[in-house]
PDB file of all heavy atoms in Angstrom:
ATOM      1  N   LEU A  25       0.785  -1.195  -0.003  1.00  0.00           N
ATOM      2  CA  LEU A  25      -0.008  -0.002  -0.040  1.00  0.00           C
ATOM      3  C   LEU A  25       0.829   1.204  -0.016  1.00  0.00           C
ATOM      4  O   LEU A  25       0.647   2.202  -0.750  1.00  0.00           O
ATOM      5  CB  LEU A  25      -0.955   0.013   1.263  1.00  0.00           C
ATOM      6  CG  LEU A  25      -1.888   1.171   1.421  1.00  0.00           C
ATOM      7  CD1 LEU A  25      -2.827   1.333   0.247  1.00  0.00           C
ATOM      8  CD2 LEU A  25      -2.640   1.094   2.733  1.00  0.00           C
ATOM      9  N   VAL A  26       1.899   1.176   0.867  1.00  0.00           N
ATOM     10  CA  VAL A  26       2.841   2.409   0.840  1.00  0.00           C
ATOM     11  C   VAL A  26       3.443   2.671  -0.444  1.00  0.00           C
ATOM     12  O   VAL A  26       3.649   3.802  -0.925  1.00  0.00           O
ATOM     13  CB  VAL A  26       3.759   2.230   2.023  1.00  0.00           C
ATOM     14  CG1 VAL A  26       4.918   3.322   1.884  1.00  0.00           C
ATOM     15  CG2 VAL A  26       3.096   2.261   3.296  1.00  0.00           C
ATOM     16  N   PHE A  27       3.877   1.519  -1.034  1.00  0.00           N
ATOM     17  CA  PHE A  27       4.604   1.621  -2.388  1.00  0.00           C
ATOM     18  C   PHE A  27       3.586   2.199  -3.431  1.00  0.00           C
ATOM     19  O   PHE A  27       4.028   3.091  -4.197  1.00  0.00           O
ATOM     20  CB  PHE A  27       5.104   0.202  -2.806  1.00  0.00           C
ATOM     21  CG  PHE A  27       5.575   0.199  -4.184  1.00  0.00           C
ATOM     22  CD1 PHE A  27       6.844   0.576  -4.489  1.00  0.00           C
ATOM     23  CD2 PHE A  27       4.841  -0.356  -5.216  1.00  0.00           C
ATOM     24  CE1 PHE A  27       7.342   0.629  -5.770  1.00  0.00           C
ATOM     25  CE2 PHE A  27       5.371  -0.447  -6.486  1.00  0.00           C
ATOM     26  CZ  PHE A  27       6.645   0.121  -6.784  1.00  0.00           C
ATOM     27  N   VAL A  28       2.409   1.723  -3.440  1.00  0.00           N
ATOM     28  CA  VAL A  28       1.429   2.208  -4.445  1.00  0.00           C
ATOM     29  C   VAL A  28       1.164   3.670  -4.319  1.00  0.00           C
ATOM     30  O   VAL A  28       1.015   4.444  -5.265  1.00  0.00           O
ATOM     31  CB  VAL A  28       0.080   1.361  -4.408  1.00  0.00           C
ATOM     32  CG1 VAL A  28      -0.935   2.011  -5.295  1.00  0.00           C
ATOM     33  CG2 VAL A  28       0.391  -0.053  -4.801  1.00  0.00           C
ATOM     34  N   VAL A  29       0.969   4.077  -2.921  1.00  0.00           N
ATOM     35  CA  VAL A  29       0.661   5.486  -2.690  1.00  0.00           C
ATOM     36  C   VAL A  29       1.832   6.346  -3.157  1.00  0.00           C
ATOM     37  O   VAL A  29       1.673   7.474  -3.804  1.00  0.00           O
ATOM     38  CB  VAL A  29       0.391   5.699  -1.160  1.00  0.00           C
ATOM     39  CG1 VAL A  29       0.301   7.162  -0.810  1.00  0.00           C
ATOM     40  CG2 VAL A  29      -0.910   5.043  -0.755  1.00  0.00           C
ATOM     41  N   LEU A  30       3.081   5.909  -2.813  1.00  0.00           N
ATOM     42  CA  LEU A  30       4.220   6.700  -3.188  1.00  0.00           C
ATOM     43  C   LEU A  30       4.401   6.764  -4.725  1.00  0.00           C
ATOM     44  O   LEU A  30       4.857   7.707  -5.284  1.00  0.00           O
ATOM     45  CB  LEU A  30       5.635   6.134  -2.530  1.00  0.00           C
ATOM     46  CG  LEU A  30       5.677   6.351  -1.055  1.00  0.00           C
ATOM     47  CD1 LEU A  30       6.871   5.635  -0.541  1.00  0.00           C
ATOM     48  CD2 LEU A  30       5.664   7.826  -0.634  1.00  0.00           C
ATOM     49  N   LEU A  31       4.091   5.647  -5.342  1.00  0.00           N
ATOM     50  CA  LEU A  31       4.239   5.573  -6.820  1.00  0.00           C
ATOM     51  C   LEU A  31       3.290   6.431  -7.587  1.00  0.00           C
ATOM     52  O   LEU A  31       3.673   7.147  -8.470  1.00  0.00           O
ATOM     53  CB  LEU A  31       4.120   4.093  -7.280  1.00  0.00           C
ATOM     54  CG  LEU A  31       4.334   3.810  -8.774  1.00  0.00           C
ATOM     55  CD1 LEU A  31       5.769   4.048  -9.146  1.00  0.00           C
ATOM     56  CD2 LEU A  31       3.932   2.400  -9.075  1.00  0.00           C
ATOM     57  N   LEU A  32       1.979   6.329  -7.123  1.00  0.00           N
ATOM     58  CA  LEU A  32       0.917   7.102  -7.791  1.00  0.00           C
ATOM     59  C   LEU A  32       0.803   8.559  -7.347  1.00  0.00           C
ATOM     60  O   LEU A  32       0.179   9.316  -7.987  1.00  0.00           O
ATOM     61  CB  LEU A  32      -0.449   6.397  -7.647  1.00  0.00           C
ATOM     62  CG  LEU A  32      -0.501   4.954  -8.110  1.00  0.00           C
ATOM     63  CD1 LEU A  32      -1.792   4.405  -7.975  1.00  0.00           C
ATOM     64  CD2 LEU A  32      -0.111   4.941  -9.619  1.00  0.00           C
ATOM     65  N   GLY A  33       1.507   8.875  -6.135  1.00  0.00           N
ATOM     66  CA  GLY A  33       1.396  10.227  -5.641  1.00  0.00           C
ATOM     67  C   GLY A  33       2.696  11.035  -5.946  1.00  0.00           C
ATOM     68  O   GLY A  33       2.881  11.650  -7.039  1.00  0.00           O
ATOM     69  N   PRO A  34       3.569  11.167  -4.927  1.00  0.00           N
ATOM     70  CA  PRO A  34       4.735  12.027  -5.159  1.00  0.00           C
ATOM     71  C   PRO A  34       5.642  11.548  -6.418  1.00  0.00           C
ATOM     72  O   PRO A  34       6.144  12.461  -7.076  1.00  0.00           O
ATOM     73  CB  PRO A  34       5.491  11.793  -3.882  1.00  0.00           C
ATOM     74  CG  PRO A  34       4.533  11.383  -2.880  1.00  0.00           C
ATOM     75  CD  PRO A  34       3.535  10.569  -3.672  1.00  0.00           C
ATOM     76  N   THR A  35       5.662  10.267  -6.640  1.00  0.00           N
ATOM     77  CA  THR A  35       6.603   9.892  -7.758  1.00  0.00           C
ATOM     78  C   THR A  35       5.980  10.291  -9.128  1.00  0.00           C
ATOM     79  O   THR A  35       6.600  10.799  -9.961  1.00  0.00           O
ATOM     80  CB  THR A  35       6.696   8.372  -7.716  1.00  0.00           C
ATOM     81  OG1 THR A  35       7.259   7.896  -6.464  1.00  0.00           O
ATOM     82  CG2 THR A  35       7.635   7.837  -8.845  1.00  0.00           C
ATOM     83  N   ALA A  36       4.679  10.152  -9.259  1.00  0.00           N
ATOM     84  CA  ALA A  36       4.013  10.626 -10.523  1.00  0.00           C
ATOM     85  C   ALA A  36       4.156  12.113 -10.634  1.00  0.00           C
ATOM     86  O   ALA A  36       4.429  12.616 -11.745  1.00  0.00           O
ATOM     87  CB  ALA A  36       2.551  10.258 -10.444  1.00  0.00           C
ATOM     88  N   ASN A  37       3.934  12.830  -9.613  1.00  0.00           N
ATOM     89  CA  ASN A  37       4.064  14.320  -9.711  1.00  0.00           C
ATOM     90  C   ASN A  37       5.554  14.703 -10.050  1.00  0.00           C
ATOM     91  O   ASN A  37       5.779  15.644 -10.841  1.00  0.00           O
ATOM     92  CB  ASN A  37       3.691  14.995  -8.351  1.00  0.00           C
ATOM     93  CG  ASN A  37       2.226  14.888  -8.167  1.00  0.00           C
ATOM     94  OD1 ASN A  37       1.385  14.869  -9.073  1.00  0.00           O
ATOM     95  ND2 ASN A  37       1.772  14.683  -6.929  1.00  0.00           N
ATOM     96  N   LEU A  38       6.536  13.953  -9.552  1.00  0.00           N
ATOM     97  CA  LEU A  38       7.891  14.300  -9.736  1.00  0.00           C
ATOM     98  C   LEU A  38       8.284  13.994 -11.202  1.00  0.00           C
ATOM     99  O   LEU A  38       9.008  14.808 -11.860  1.00  0.00           O
ATOM    100  CB  LEU A  38       8.849  13.492  -8.861  1.00  0.00           C
ATOM    101  CG  LEU A  38      10.383  13.661  -9.027  1.00  0.00           C
ATOM    102  CD1 LEU A  38      10.750  15.123  -8.606  1.00  0.00           C
ATOM    103  CD2 LEU A  38      11.131  12.691  -8.107  1.00  0.00           C
ATOM    104  N   ILE A  39       7.772  12.859 -11.742  1.00  0.00           N
ATOM    105  CA  ILE A  39       8.130  12.570 -13.209  1.00  0.00           C
ATOM    106  C   ILE A  39       7.373  13.459 -14.089  1.00  0.00           C
ATOM    107  O   ILE A  39       7.890  13.917 -15.144  1.00  0.00           O
ATOM    108  CB  ILE A  39       7.724  11.111 -13.395  1.00  0.00           C
ATOM    109  CG1 ILE A  39       8.603  10.168 -12.587  1.00  0.00           C
ATOM    110  CG2 ILE A  39       7.797  10.805 -14.916  1.00  0.00           C
ATOM    111  CD1 ILE A  39       8.433   8.721 -12.814  1.00  0.00           C
ATOM    112  N   ALA A  40       6.165  13.822 -13.749  1.00  0.00           N
ATOM    113  CA  ALA A  40       5.373  14.802 -14.593  1.00  0.00           C
ATOM    114  C   ALA A  40       6.080  16.114 -14.738  1.00  0.00           C
ATOM    115  O   ALA A  40       5.860  16.850 -15.768  1.00  0.00           O
ATOM    116  CB  ALA A  40       3.938  14.909 -14.031  1.00  0.00           C
ATOM    117  N   GLY A  41       6.773  16.634 -13.746  1.00  0.00           N
ATOM    118  CA  GLY A  41       7.404  17.845 -13.851  1.00  0.00           C
ATOM    119  C   GLY A  41       6.554  19.060 -13.330  1.00  0.00           C
ATOM    120  O   GLY A  41       5.303  18.940 -13.055  1.00  0.00           O
ATOM    121  N   HIS A  42       7.175  20.238 -13.413  1.00  0.00           N
ATOM    122  CA  HIS A  42       6.467  21.443 -12.972  1.00  0.00           C
ATOM    123  C   HIS A  42       5.507  21.938 -13.901  1.00  0.00           C
ATOM    124  O   HIS A  42       4.618  22.687 -13.583  1.00  0.00           O
ATOM    125  CB  HIS A  42       7.497  22.484 -12.749  1.00  0.00           C
ATOM    126  CG  HIS A  42       8.299  22.878 -13.898  1.00  0.00           C
ATOM    127  ND1 HIS A  42       9.306  22.252 -14.432  1.00  0.00           N
ATOM    128  CD2 HIS A  42       8.122  24.048 -14.729  1.00  0.00           C
ATOM    129  CE1 HIS A  42       9.804  22.871 -15.484  1.00  0.00           C
ATOM    130  NE2 HIS A  42       8.987  23.916 -15.743  1.00  0.00           N
ATOM    131  N   ARG A  43       5.596  21.464 -15.181  1.00  0.00           N
ATOM    132  CA  ARG A  43       4.637  21.995 -16.213  1.00  0.00           C
ATOM    133  C   ARG A  43       3.202  21.529 -15.963  1.00  0.00           C
ATOM    134  O   ARG A  43       2.264  22.082 -16.436  1.00  0.00           O
ATOM    135  CB  ARG A  43       5.079  21.558 -17.644  1.00  0.00           C
ATOM    136  CG  ARG A  43       6.348  22.159 -18.010  1.00  0.00           C
ATOM    137  CD  ARG A  43       6.709  21.900 -19.453  1.00  0.00           C
ATOM    138  NE  ARG A  43       7.948  22.550 -19.959  1.00  0.00           N
ATOM    139  CZ  ARG A  43       8.404  22.446 -21.133  1.00  0.00           C
ATOM    140  NH1 ARG A  43       7.699  21.677 -22.066  1.00  0.00           N
ATOM    141  NH2 ARG A  43       9.529  23.148 -21.530  1.00  0.00           N
ATOM    142  N   ILE A  44       3.063  20.430 -15.202  1.00  0.00           N
ATOM    143  CA  ILE A  44       1.754  19.915 -15.030  1.00  0.00           C
ATOM    144  C   ILE A  44       0.959  20.821 -14.075  1.00  0.00           C
ATOM    145  O   ILE A  44      -0.298  20.850 -14.123  1.00  0.00           O
ATOM    146  CB  ILE A  44       1.787  18.503 -14.413  1.00  0.00           C
ATOM    147  CG1 ILE A  44       0.416  17.851 -14.565  1.00  0.00           C
ATOM    148  CG2 ILE A  44       2.210  18.527 -12.866  1.00  0.00           C
ATOM    149  CD1 ILE A  44       0.488  16.413 -14.164  1.00  0.00           C
ATOM    150  N   ASN A  45       1.646  21.668 -13.290  1.00  0.00           N
ATOM    151  CA  ASN A  45       0.958  22.579 -12.474  1.00  0.00           C
ATOM    152  C   ASN A  45       0.266  23.798 -13.316  1.00  0.00           C
ATOM    153  O   ASN A  45      -0.693  24.378 -12.704  1.00  0.00           O
ATOM    154  CB  ASN A  45       2.029  23.255 -11.538  1.00  0.00           C
ATOM    155  CG  ASN A  45       2.579  22.242 -10.534  1.00  0.00           C
ATOM    156  OD1 ASN A  45       1.850  21.309 -10.073  1.00  0.00           O
ATOM    157  ND2 ASN A  45       3.840  22.467 -10.150  1.00  0.00           N
ATOM    158  N   GLU A  46       0.654  23.817 -14.515  1.00  0.00           N
ATOM    159  CA  GLU A  46       0.126  24.891 -15.406  1.00  0.00           C
ATOM    160  C   GLU A  46      -1.253  24.399 -15.895  1.00  0.00           C
ATOM    161  O   GLU A  46      -2.023  25.213 -16.534  1.00  0.00           O
ATOM    162  CB  GLU A  46       1.027  25.299 -16.539  1.00  0.00           C
ATOM    163  CG  GLU A  46       2.344  25.780 -16.045  1.00  0.00           C
ATOM    164  CD  GLU A  46       3.258  25.992 -17.123  1.00  0.00           C
ATOM    165  OE1 GLU A  46       2.962  25.748 -18.347  1.00  0.00           O
ATOM    166  OE2 GLU A  46       4.415  26.552 -16.911  1.00  0.00           O
ATOM    167  N   LEU A  47      -1.505  23.079 -15.870  1.00  0.00           N
ATOM    168  CA  LEU A  47      -2.733  22.489 -16.299  1.00  0.00           C
ATOM    169  C   LEU A  47      -3.898  22.569 -15.281  1.00  0.00           C
ATOM    170  O   LEU A  47      -3.538  22.512 -14.032  1.00  0.00           O
ATOM    171  CB  LEU A  47      -2.584  21.144 -16.826  1.00  0.00           C
ATOM    172  CG  LEU A  47      -1.520  20.873 -17.931  1.00  0.00           C
ATOM    173  CD1 LEU A  47      -1.318  19.465 -18.248  1.00  0.00           C
ATOM    174  CD2 LEU A  47      -1.827  21.679 -19.180  1.00  0.00           C
ATOM    175  N   HIS A  48      -5.030  22.499 -15.736  1.00  0.00           N
ATOM    176  CA  HIS A  48      -6.158  22.597 -14.789  1.00  0.00           C
ATOM    177  C   HIS A  48      -7.245  21.635 -15.259  1.00  0.00           C
ATOM    178  O   HIS A  48      -7.338  21.256 -16.431  1.00  0.00           O
ATOM    179  CB  HIS A  48      -6.696  24.009 -14.572  1.00  0.00           C
ATOM    180  CG  HIS A  48      -5.682  24.957 -14.175  1.00  0.00           C
ATOM    181  ND1 HIS A  48      -5.228  25.144 -12.828  1.00  0.00           N
ATOM    182  CD2 HIS A  48      -5.000  25.948 -14.846  1.00  0.00           C
ATOM    183  CE1 HIS A  48      -4.411  26.074 -12.784  1.00  0.00           C
ATOM    184  NE2 HIS A  48      -4.220  26.564 -14.036  1.00  0.00           N
ATOM    185  N   GLY A  49      -8.031  21.110 -14.244  1.00  0.00           N
ATOM    186  CA  GLY A  49      -9.193  20.394 -14.619  1.00  0.00           C
ATOM    187  C   GLY A  49      -8.933  19.108 -15.213  1.00  0.00           C
ATOM    188  O   GLY A  49      -8.038  18.297 -14.808  1.00  0.00           O
ATOM    189  N   LYS A  50      -9.666  18.739 -16.340  1.00  0.00           N
ATOM    190  CA  LYS A  50      -9.600  17.431 -16.964  1.00  0.00           C
ATOM    191  C   LYS A  50      -8.080  17.263 -17.543  1.00  0.00           C
ATOM    192  O   LYS A  50      -7.624  16.086 -17.557  1.00  0.00           O
ATOM    193  CB  LYS A  50     -10.675  17.327 -17.959  1.00  0.00           C
ATOM    194  CG  LYS A  50     -10.673  15.922 -18.583  1.00  0.00           C
ATOM    195  CD  LYS A  50     -11.841  15.879 -19.602  1.00  0.00           C
ATOM    196  CE  LYS A  50     -12.027  14.473 -20.218  1.00  0.00           C
ATOM    197  NZ  LYS A  50     -10.742  13.982 -20.789  1.00  0.00           N
ATOM    198  N   GLU A  51      -7.502  18.337 -18.084  1.00  0.00           N
ATOM    199  CA  GLU A  51      -6.243  18.178 -18.686  1.00  0.00           C
ATOM    200  C   GLU A  51      -5.233  17.774 -17.664  1.00  0.00           C
ATOM    201  O   GLU A  51      -4.379  16.833 -17.907  1.00  0.00           O
ATOM    202  CB  GLU A  51      -5.849  19.527 -19.367  1.00  0.00           C
ATOM    203  CG  GLU A  51      -6.690  20.021 -20.569  1.00  0.00           C
ATOM    204  CD  GLU A  51      -6.228  21.227 -21.158  1.00  0.00           C
ATOM    205  OE1 GLU A  51      -5.325  21.795 -20.487  1.00  0.00           O
ATOM    206  OE2 GLU A  51      -6.712  21.637 -22.189  1.00  0.00           O
ATOM    207  N   ARG A  52      -5.164  18.317 -16.502  1.00  0.00           N
ATOM    208  CA  ARG A  52      -4.353  17.902 -15.409  1.00  0.00           C
ATOM    209  C   ARG A  52      -4.547  16.449 -15.030  1.00  0.00           C
ATOM    210  O   ARG A  52      -3.569  15.720 -14.831  1.00  0.00           O
ATOM    211  CB  ARG A  52      -4.475  18.768 -14.187  1.00  0.00           C
ATOM    212  CG  ARG A  52      -3.648  18.518 -13.054  1.00  0.00           C
ATOM    213  CD  ARG A  52      -3.929  19.373 -11.807  1.00  0.00           C
ATOM    214  NE  ARG A  52      -3.118  18.986 -10.726  1.00  0.00           N
ATOM    215  CZ  ARG A  52      -1.918  19.424 -10.480  1.00  0.00           C
ATOM    216  NH1 ARG A  52      -1.318  20.213 -11.338  1.00  0.00           N
ATOM    217  NH2 ARG A  52      -1.258  18.936  -9.377  1.00  0.00           N
ATOM    218  N   PHE A  53      -5.866  16.047 -14.851  1.00  0.00           N
ATOM    219  CA  PHE A  53      -6.107  14.719 -14.487  1.00  0.00           C
ATOM    220  C   PHE A  53      -5.780  13.720 -15.591  1.00  0.00           C
ATOM    221  O   PHE A  53      -5.127  12.686 -15.218  1.00  0.00           O
ATOM    222  CB  PHE A  53      -7.663  14.551 -14.259  1.00  0.00           C
ATOM    223  CG  PHE A  53      -8.111  13.125 -14.007  1.00  0.00           C
ATOM    224  CD1 PHE A  53      -8.005  12.676 -12.749  1.00  0.00           C
ATOM    225  CD2 PHE A  53      -8.673  12.404 -15.001  1.00  0.00           C
ATOM    226  CE1 PHE A  53      -8.394  11.333 -12.438  1.00  0.00           C
ATOM    227  CE2 PHE A  53      -9.062  11.114 -14.635  1.00  0.00           C
ATOM    228  CZ  PHE A  53      -8.895  10.577 -13.414  1.00  0.00           C
ATOM    229  N   ASP A  54      -5.862  14.070 -16.880  1.00  0.00           N
ATOM    230  CA  ASP A  54      -5.491  13.120 -17.886  1.00  0.00           C
ATOM    231  C   ASP A  54      -3.981  12.926 -17.941  1.00  0.00           C
ATOM    232  O   ASP A  54      -3.516  11.804 -18.149  1.00  0.00           O
ATOM    233  CB  ASP A  54      -6.006  13.614 -19.244  1.00  0.00           C
ATOM    234  CG  ASP A  54      -7.524  13.460 -19.323  1.00  0.00           C
ATOM    235  OD1 ASP A  54      -8.122  12.695 -18.510  1.00  0.00           O
ATOM    236  OD2 ASP A  54      -8.129  14.165 -20.180  1.00  0.00           O
ATOM    237  N   ALA A  55      -3.280  14.097 -17.731  1.00  0.00           N
ATOM    238  CA  ALA A  55      -1.798  14.036 -17.755  1.00  0.00           C
ATOM    239  C   ALA A  55      -1.284  13.145 -16.595  1.00  0.00           C
ATOM    240  O   ALA A  55      -0.376  12.310 -16.798  1.00  0.00           O
ATOM    241  CB  ALA A  55      -1.213  15.422 -17.597  1.00  0.00           C
ATOM    242  N   LEU A  56      -1.744  13.412 -15.447  1.00  0.00           N
ATOM    243  CA  LEU A  56      -1.381  12.592 -14.245  1.00  0.00           C
ATOM    244  C   LEU A  56      -1.721  11.118 -14.472  1.00  0.00           C
ATOM    245  O   LEU A  56      -0.911  10.117 -14.104  1.00  0.00           O
ATOM    246  CB  LEU A  56      -2.031  13.042 -12.945  1.00  0.00           C
ATOM    247  CG  LEU A  56      -1.332  14.291 -12.326  1.00  0.00           C
ATOM    248  CD1 LEU A  56      -2.054  14.762 -11.140  1.00  0.00           C
ATOM    249  CD2 LEU A  56       0.183  13.916 -11.943  1.00  0.00           C
ATOM    250  N   ASN A  57      -2.919  10.872 -15.036  1.00  0.00           N
ATOM    251  CA  ASN A  57      -3.354   9.535 -15.175  1.00  0.00           C
ATOM    252  C   ASN A  57      -2.494   8.810 -16.163  1.00  0.00           C
ATOM    253  O   ASN A  57      -2.139   7.538 -16.057  1.00  0.00           O
ATOM    254  CB  ASN A  57      -4.798   9.445 -15.748  1.00  0.00           C
ATOM    255  CG  ASN A  57      -5.384   8.011 -15.672  1.00  0.00           C
ATOM    256  OD1 ASN A  57      -5.081   7.250 -14.829  1.00  0.00           O
ATOM    257  ND2 ASN A  57      -6.262   7.796 -16.675  1.00  0.00           N
ATOM    258  N   SER A  58      -1.965   9.441 -17.270  1.00  0.00           N
ATOM    259  CA  SER A  58      -1.088   8.829 -18.198  1.00  0.00           C
ATOM    260  C   SER A  58       0.245   8.521 -17.568  1.00  0.00           C
ATOM    261  O   SER A  58       0.757   7.386 -17.852  1.00  0.00           O
ATOM    262  CB  SER A  58      -0.895   9.814 -19.370  1.00  0.00           C
ATOM    263  OG  SER A  58       0.021   9.325 -20.268  1.00  0.00           O
ATOM    264  N   VAL A  59       0.714   9.460 -16.774  1.00  0.00           N
ATOM    265  CA  VAL A  59       2.006   9.222 -16.057  1.00  0.00           C
ATOM    266  C   VAL A  59       1.876   7.975 -15.056  1.00  0.00           C
ATOM    267  O   VAL A  59       2.713   7.136 -15.017  1.00  0.00           O
ATOM    268  CB  VAL A  59       2.451  10.469 -15.324  1.00  0.00           C
ATOM    269  CG1 VAL A  59       3.719  10.104 -14.492  1.00  0.00           C
ATOM    270  CG2 VAL A  59       2.842  11.470 -16.295  1.00  0.00           C
ATOM    271  N   ARG A  60       0.799   7.902 -14.362  1.00  0.00           N
ATOM    272  CA  ARG A  60       0.557   6.829 -13.482  1.00  0.00           C
ATOM    273  C   ARG A  60       0.483   5.496 -14.187  1.00  0.00           C
ATOM    274  O   ARG A  60       0.916   4.432 -13.688  1.00  0.00           O
ATOM    275  CB  ARG A  60      -0.722   7.122 -12.666  1.00  0.00           C
ATOM    276  CG  ARG A  60      -0.495   8.174 -11.590  1.00  0.00           C
ATOM    277  CD  ARG A  60      -1.892   8.630 -11.040  1.00  0.00           C
ATOM    278  NE  ARG A  60      -1.637   9.739 -10.097  1.00  0.00           N
ATOM    279  CZ  ARG A  60      -2.665  10.511  -9.538  1.00  0.00           C
ATOM    280  NH1 ARG A  60      -3.873  10.324 -10.013  1.00  0.00           N
ATOM    281  NH2 ARG A  60      -2.454  11.451  -8.760  1.00  0.00           N
ATOM    282  N   GLN A  61      -0.215   5.530 -15.249  1.00  0.00           N
ATOM    283  CA  GLN A  61      -0.273   4.214 -16.110  1.00  0.00           C
ATOM    284  C   GLN A  61       1.131   3.643 -16.528  1.00  0.00           C
ATOM    285  O   GLN A  61       1.384   2.539 -16.464  1.00  0.00           O
ATOM    286  CB  GLN A  61      -1.281   4.415 -17.300  1.00  0.00           C
ATOM    287  CG  GLN A  61      -2.709   4.576 -16.938  1.00  0.00           C
ATOM    288  CD  GLN A  61      -3.533   4.781 -18.133  1.00  0.00           C
ATOM    289  OE1 GLN A  61      -3.086   4.886 -19.235  1.00  0.00           O
ATOM    290  NE2 GLN A  61      -4.877   4.816 -17.936  1.00  0.00           N
ATOM    291  N   THR A  62       1.867   4.669 -16.938  1.00  0.00           N
ATOM    292  CA  THR A  62       3.263   4.356 -17.290  1.00  0.00           C
ATOM    293  C   THR A  62       4.034   3.794 -16.204  1.00  0.00           C
ATOM    294  O   THR A  62       4.714   2.688 -16.338  1.00  0.00           O
ATOM    295  CB  THR A  62       3.951   5.514 -17.978  1.00  0.00           C
ATOM    296  OG1 THR A  62       3.225   6.108 -19.065  1.00  0.00           O
ATOM    297  CG2 THR A  62       5.311   5.165 -18.434  1.00  0.00           C
ATOM    298  N   LEU A  63       3.955   4.384 -14.998  1.00  0.00           N
ATOM    299  CA  LEU A  63       4.668   3.883 -13.867  1.00  0.00           C
ATOM    300  C   LEU A  63       4.130   2.564 -13.392  1.00  0.00           C
ATOM    301  O   LEU A  63       4.913   1.725 -13.017  1.00  0.00           O
ATOM    302  CB  LEU A  63       4.463   4.862 -12.713  1.00  0.00           C
ATOM    303  CG  LEU A  63       5.147   6.208 -12.827  1.00  0.00           C
ATOM    304  CD1 LEU A  63       4.827   7.177 -11.639  1.00  0.00           C
ATOM    305  CD2 LEU A  63       6.728   5.977 -12.861  1.00  0.00           C
ATOM    306  N   VAL A  64       2.841   2.301 -13.404  1.00  0.00           N
ATOM    307  CA  VAL A  64       2.337   1.041 -13.043  1.00  0.00           C
ATOM    308  C   VAL A  64       2.758  -0.104 -14.056  1.00  0.00           C
ATOM    309  O   VAL A  64       3.162  -1.182 -13.571  1.00  0.00           O
ATOM    310  CB  VAL A  64       0.712   1.052 -13.062  1.00  0.00           C
ATOM    311  CG1 VAL A  64       0.163  -0.400 -12.915  1.00  0.00           C
ATOM    312  CG2 VAL A  64       0.266   1.926 -11.885  1.00  0.00           C
ATOM    313  N   ALA A  65       2.820   0.261 -15.337  1.00  0.00           N
ATOM    314  CA  ALA A  65       3.298  -0.776 -16.326  1.00  0.00           C
ATOM    315  C   ALA A  65       4.786  -1.084 -16.029  1.00  0.00           C
ATOM    316  O   ALA A  65       5.241  -2.146 -16.183  1.00  0.00           O
ATOM    317  CB  ALA A  65       3.078  -0.191 -17.686  1.00  0.00           C
ATOM    318  N   ALA A  66       5.573  -0.029 -15.716  1.00  0.00           N
ATOM    319  CA  ALA A  66       7.009  -0.241 -15.442  1.00  0.00           C
ATOM    320  C   ALA A  66       7.172  -1.104 -14.200  1.00  0.00           C
ATOM    321  O   ALA A  66       8.042  -1.985 -14.156  1.00  0.00           O
ATOM    322  CB  ALA A  66       7.750   1.138 -15.403  1.00  0.00           C
ATOM    323  N   ALA A  67       6.417  -0.803 -13.233  1.00  0.00           N
ATOM    324  CA  ALA A  67       6.530  -1.571 -11.882  1.00  0.00           C
ATOM    325  C   ALA A  67       6.154  -2.990 -12.153  1.00  0.00           C
ATOM    326  O   ALA A  67       6.751  -3.944 -11.651  1.00  0.00           O
ATOM    327  CB  ALA A  67       5.678  -0.943 -10.866  1.00  0.00           C
ATOM    328  N   ALA A  68       5.057  -3.203 -12.972  1.00  0.00           N
ATOM    329  CA  ALA A  68       4.628  -4.588 -13.228  1.00  0.00           C
ATOM    330  C   ALA A  68       5.778  -5.286 -14.006  1.00  0.00           C
ATOM    331  O   ALA A  68       6.068  -6.535 -13.852  1.00  0.00           O
ATOM    332  CB  ALA A  68       3.402  -4.571 -14.043  1.00  0.00           C
TER     333      ALA A  68
END
């Protein structure tokens, strides 16, 4: 559980970079979701 939280939370934000803060709403959610899917696939 701790690994998943760290992977989908701080790690996803760190890989997404500071540019994701410029996005809002659905665009921000889609961008984070894409990064999280990539991280989950890499972990698997």
